[in-house]
Amino acid sequence: MNDHTDEPRSERIHNAWIQAVDLNAIPLAGLPQRLWLDSVLGCGDYEPRIHLQIDDHRLIELTLIEARSAGMHLIGLAALGVMEIPRTSAA
């Protein structure tokens, strides 16, 4: 963690595991977008929150339970999508 000597205790926020996912399939005005994901723990919080944000658009904040549920649904949808990809037959 970073040194917090210049921040009041009530304003301290810890970020961890910041990730970015390129969203090439959903261009906005012809430009690729990026999905930012991170874990944030503020002073006085009893658990971290998960933040999702596409570039500078509205931030979505999830509890750990909500993030886990959304993640499981994404994995399930991706698995279903893979099963829907047509198989090419070898001639």
Side-chain angles (χ1 to χ4, degrees):
M1 293 295 168
N2 297 331
D3 186 17
H4 295 289
T5 56
D6 60 340
E7 298 173 345
R9 185 172 190 77
S10 63
E11 295 178 15
R12 293 180 190 169
I13 296 175
H14 297 269
N15 289 65
W17 205 64
I18 298 172
Q19 300 293 311
V21 177
D22 292 328
L23 302 174
N24 297 318
I26 317 170
L28 178 65
L31 301 172
Q33 297 182 80
R34 181 168 280 178
L35 172 64
W36 295 95
L37 308 120
D38 69 343
S39 173
V40 178
L41 181 65
C43 183
D45 290 346
Y46 66 93
E47 71 177 27
R49 300 292 178 146
I50 306 303
H51 285 178
L52 307 171
Q53 186 171 15
I54 297 176
D55 291 332
D56 60 351
H57 298 285
R58 186 174 157 275
L59 178 83
I60 298 171
E61 185 176 85
L62 303 171
T63 65
L64 296 179
I65 291 171
E66 293 166 340
R68 181 175 288 170
S69 177
M72 296 301 290
H73 288 299
L74 283 171
I75 290 168
L77 289 169
L80 285 173
V82 167
M83 292 187 325
E84 295 294 323
I85 296 173
R87 307 257 188 250
T88 56
S89 61

